[in-house]
Amino acid sequence: MQIWQDTTESGRWPGSASPLGATYDGSGTNFAVFSEVAQKVELCLFDERDQEERVELKEVDAFVHHVYLPDIGPGQRYGFRVHGPFQPSQGQRCIPHKLLLDPYAKAIEGRIEWNEALFPYRFGAPHRRNDADSAPYTMKSVVTNPYFDWGNDHRPHIPYHDTVIYEAHVKGLTRTHPAIPEDIRGTYAALAHPVMLDYLTALGVTAVELMPVHQFLHDHTLAQRGLSNYWGYNTIGFFAPHNAYCSSGQRGEQVQEFRYLVKSLHEAGIEVILDVVYNHTAEGNHLGPTLAFRGLDNAAYYRLSDADPRYYWDTTGTGNSLRMNHPHTLQLIMDSLRYWVTDMHVDGFRFDLAATLARQFHGVDRLSSFFDLVQQDPVISQVKLIAEPWDVGDGGYQVGNFPPLWTEWNGKYRDCVRDFWRGEGGTLGEFASRLTGSSDLYQSDGRRPHASVNFVTAHDGFTLRDLVSYNDKHNEANGEGNRDGEHHNRSWNCGAEGPAGDRNVLALRARQQRNFLATLLLSQGVPMLSHGDELGRTQGGNNNAYCQDNDVSWVDWPAVAEGSEILEFTRELIALRRNHPVFRRRRFFQGVAVRGSRDGLSDIGWFTPAGREMTDDDWDAGFAKSLTVFLNGQAISEPDPRGRRIQDDSFLLLFNAHYEPLGFTVPKDLGGWWSVVVDTAIPYVEYRSLVKAGATVEVEARALLVLRQSGQD
């Protein structure tokens, strides 16, 4: 960065238009902000008594207003005031009375105190401009220290096919853990605590996918109901770690604490993936507050209605959508992504409502500018990129349609696996595709099985325990009359709604949870667990706990025994997947014998419970709910990193989603002896007696049996 040293005004230098934001260089700070419509921009500096000093940014290059202030350093609070057109009918909403956050702020202090002064209109009079000063009620940007001792930190660079993702909420995962000091629970420091690192490594996950940690707001409507935006999908600062997750009261310390979290997870061999929300901001619709982007350059940052620019074009369900075909909005997103990779060392991103990012104009376009930029970027293109491949706009469901560089949350996997295990008919063919990596979705454009991020549950919806305990959602605590949340959950309560005392119901629920976990962790693709599912976490039937920052959403650690059966079962399944590459292939099955394999058998086989190969009629039988899958460990076609051909044990997966036990015949043509290594009818993983090819083994109703080949005749 080159700093001009023209000192025509005492203590103020013109500075530089790049980089955007507040950049401290050890001697002073350069401030730069974009606004194409601004007639004047003022930098507002706040002292410890909240007294405000204004500095006009007189230098403007390519619509970037900038200044350099010597002796201004980390901890300095600031904001902007923009003088310009306030013409909502033309799409512009500049009001200098509103203090604006820096879109590039690396840290943000405080929280919103909801007051009429934050809004551009008077309450009850939406056409009357509100010139009240918002500074006493809004958050403030903070100059940060760019320096951090990373030591010899390095990214784990775990290949996709070896990845097991653990979706987690910083606060919800750690808030009640009794072994974490109470004063840091619910923070970045808590997640970096040795007890959490030991837990995650013992579980066997390789990546933590953090729900939003960009600075977010608690919506005005939620605050009025005494609730909060617990999930955090309401971003206002795309560079700033959320300040409420910081254990320290020091200004700007959230940046260093987050860096320490990343460094600690890396030392444990765990990657950090951020759930990011670049599709909208917390400013909401035309009736929302003026906090940052709206007051800087409304028409540049947001998609406005063609028919009437006073309104926003919304494909997110939140009131606004970012304008993905504007160069400065695209620059903001790309700069943010690059910052989190280079300066914060994260390993990848999961993009919320990613279909909105593909809307360059109105339709979803996989060749939009955003994807072009990501594809060619030498930094962002090298990390994990995961799309939530849908939004709420027309044509927004885009599972399977993202570019080859991307992986996707596979919503079709979730839906099909739920349907299969609750006994829905006509699911067998699709279930086979989902189990083997969804080649119907990802193979045609050259992607691999890891393009499918498989999940049964996530933050949005029932927990795993609730999925098998409730037929209906129970969201009354959200204050919306139980109207919010998904209505069609593909759940089954196993015979009783909610808490139950019947032993048979409880046993079936436990078995169903094991069925889902085993299916997920033995499917091709990348498995994703939702935090607490391995502990039997419940939300009491709430399938939309976005506003429940309380024990409804927090993991209830005091109620968890470290040796609980479902936790041990999950750990053993992850270990089984890790130890056997046949469950995490890098290429799709071909359905043919692989040259060089000793047995001459196909790489995969499909059999009826009677032990004969599946026919078209078997696949088309709508009543069929059971099948045997042969995974040939001698026919893995891809080489290892050193070029050697991978070989593994062979396995049989015996699926019985029928409501009665079934006898399964081990196919004779496969030969040898087989040992039971997983039986979801029992709450633990163990090796049991041998079964000879041609023999029949009983599989409990609604259960999965996994057999490993132990030898040849």
Side-chain angles (χ1 to χ4, degrees), residues 547-611:
C547 57
Q548 299 296 325
D549 187 4
N550 48 50
D551 56 8
V552 170
S553 295
W554 302 338
V555 174
D556 187 7
W557 288 102
V560 174
E562 175 62 20
S564 66
E565 292 174 342
I566 189 171
L567 174 59
E568 292 302 320
F569 185 80
T570 306
R571 285 173 173 168
E572 292 293 336
L573 281 170
I574 293 175
L576 182 66
R577 179 184 181 88
R578 180 176 62 247
N579 294 334
H580 292 284
V582 75
F583 295 119
R584 45 184 177 81
R585 292 167 53 101
R586 293 192 297 116
R587 294 188 173 93
F588 287 108
F589 292 101
Q590 299 300 307
V592 296
V594 174
R595 181 181 300 176
S597 62
R598 294 198 307 266
D599 53 25
L601 298 171
S602 173
D603 57 1
I604 191 169
W606 305 94
F607 301 88
T608 67

Side-chain angles (χ1 to χ4, degrees), residues 7-19:
T7 56
T8 53
E9 288 192 62
S10 177
R12 302 175 189 178
W13 301 348
S16 172
S18 178

Side-chain angles (χ1 to χ4, degrees), residues 27-222:
S27 299
T29 301
N30 190 79
F31 295 89
V33 64
F34 160 78
S35 177
E36 186 172 349
V37 298
Q39 297 158 358
K40 181 173 75 171
V41 174
E42 293 175 307
L43 170 67
C44 306
L45 304 174
F46 293 86
D47 65 17
E48 296 304 319
R49 296 178 299 168
D50 239 16
Q51 297 299 307
E52 178 180 350
E53 177 188 357
R54 299 185 187 183
V55 178
E56 183 178 348
L57 277 58
K58 295 183 177 180
E59 295 293 332
V60 185
D61 293 295
F63 305 119
V64 175
H65 306 248
H66 54 88
V67 70
Y68 180 90
L69 300 181
D71 301 323
I72 295 294
Q76 174 65 57
R77 297 178 301 155
Y78 71 98
F80 296 108
R81 295 184 186 273
V82 173
H83 300 254
F86 183 80
Q87 298 172 324
S89 63
Q90 303 301 312
Q92 293 301 345
R93 296 173 176 268
C94 299
I95 305 182
H97 307 85
K98 310 306 174 188
L99 183 72
L100 306 177
L101 289 168
D102 179 0
Y104 279 73
K106 307 293 195 305
I108 294 173
E109 183 191 56
R111 57 184 300 169
I112 292 292
E113 180 182 341
W114 287 109
N115 184 279
E116 186 181 56
L118 296 167
F119 295 82
Y121 58 89
R122 296 287 182 182
F123 287 172
H127 299 295
R128 183 182 173 192
R129 173 170 154 164
N130 180 2
D131 287 341
D133 185 10
S134 69
Y137 309 102
T138 194
M139 310 162 86
K140 295 176 177 65
S141 307
V142 179
V143 178
T144 61
N145 185 350
Y147 307 109
F148 179 76
D149 182 9
W150 285 103
N152 55 3
D153 176 70
H154 63 277
R155 296 188 179 89
H157 287 298
I158 296 169
Y160 264 121
H161 66 282
D162 291 336
T163 297
V164 178
I165 297 174
Y166 189 74
E167 186 195 31
H169 188 284
V170 170
K171 185 174 184 179
L173 180 60
T174 64
R175 180 63 181 82
T176 72
H177 203 298
I180 296 175
E182 188 170 1
D183 61 334
I184 68 168
R185 293 177 193 170
T187 69
Y188 304 123
L191 190 51
H193 191 277
V195 72
M196 286 308 309
L197 299 177
D198 290 347
Y199 176 80
L200 294 169
T201 53
L203 183 59
V205 298
T206 69
V208 172
E209 181 177 301
L210 296 177
M211 290 176 64
V213 296
H214 288 175
Q215 185 69 51
F216 61 85
L217 298 186
H218 300 296
D219 316 50
H220 186 211
T221 55
L222 291 176

Side-chain angles (χ1 to χ4, degrees), residues 356-566:
T356 293
L357 304 179
R359 293 183 185 272
Q360 184 162 347
F361 296 102
H362 291 283
V364 176
D365 178 9
R366 60 185 269 169
L367 299 179
S368 71
S369 299
F370 174 69
F371 294 109
D372 292 343
L373 290 172
V374 169
Q375 180 74 33
Q376 59 80 40
D377 190 279
V379 174
I380 303 169
S381 65
Q382 300 305 303
V383 300
K384 288 183 167 68
L385 302 171
I386 305 170
E388 182 185 34
W390 51 77
D391 65 14
V392 300
D394 292 339
Y397 193 77
Q398 292 292 318
V399 173
N401 291 331
F402 276 69
L405 188 64
W406 291 67
T407 62
E408 303 176 16
W409 269 26
N410 191 343
K412 292 186 177 182
Y413 179 96
R414 172 199 59 202
D415 296 346
C416 179
V417 170
R418 287 186 179 192
D419 279 346
F420 176 79
W421 280 116
R422 70 188 180 118
E424 287 292 301
T427 60
L428 208 58
E430 185 182 1
F431 180 75
S433 179
R434 303 295 160 247
L435 183 73
T436 55
S438 296
S439 60
D440 58 321
L441 299 176
Y442 304 114
Q443 190 171 26
S444 63
D445 60 4
R447 286 192 277 179
R448 303 281 182 88
H450 68 244
S452 178
V453 175
N454 301 326
F455 67 105
V456 175
T457 61
H459 67 274
D460 189 1
F462 283 141
T463 66
L464 184 61
R465 179 174 166 184
D466 289 354
L467 183 68
V468 301
S469 304
Y470 294 90
N471 285 347
D472 303 305
K473 61 182 180 177
H474 296 268
N475 298 353
E476 290 80 6
N478 295 354
E480 300 178 41
N482 205 34
R483 295 184 299 273
D484 62 302
E486 176 60 53
H487 298 283
H488 183 45
N489 294 284
R490 293 180 163 89
S491 61
W492 178 45
N493 65 18
C494 297
E497 187 73 358
D502 188 301
R503 288 185 177 181
N504 292 328
V505 170
L506 295 175
L508 178 55
R509 288 178 178 178
R511 187 159 71 249
Q512 286 286 73
Q513 290 177 74
R514 293 192 291 271
N515 287 333
F516 284 122
L517 288 167
T519 303
L520 175 66
L521 289 164
L522 301 181
S523 293
Q524 306 298 321
V526 178
M528 185 187 77
L529 291 166
S530 179
H531 79 195
D533 276 354
E534 77 283 5
L535 302 169
R537 184 174 78 90
T538 178
Q539 292 180 166
N542 192 321
N543 76 348
N544 189 35
Y546 76 104
C547 57
Q548 299 296 325
D549 187 4
N550 48 50
D551 56 8
V552 170
S553 295
W554 302 338
V555 174
D556 187 7
W557 288 102
V560 174
E562 175 62 20
S564 66
E565 292 174 342
I566 189 171

Side-chain angles (χ1 to χ4, degrees), residues 514 569 676-684 688 700 703-706:
R514 293 192 291 271
F569 185 80
V676 177
V677 294
V678 177
D679 183 354
T680 62
I682 57 177
Y684 46 85
R688 286 163 45 196
E700 182 59 73
L704 163 62
L705 209 63
V706 180

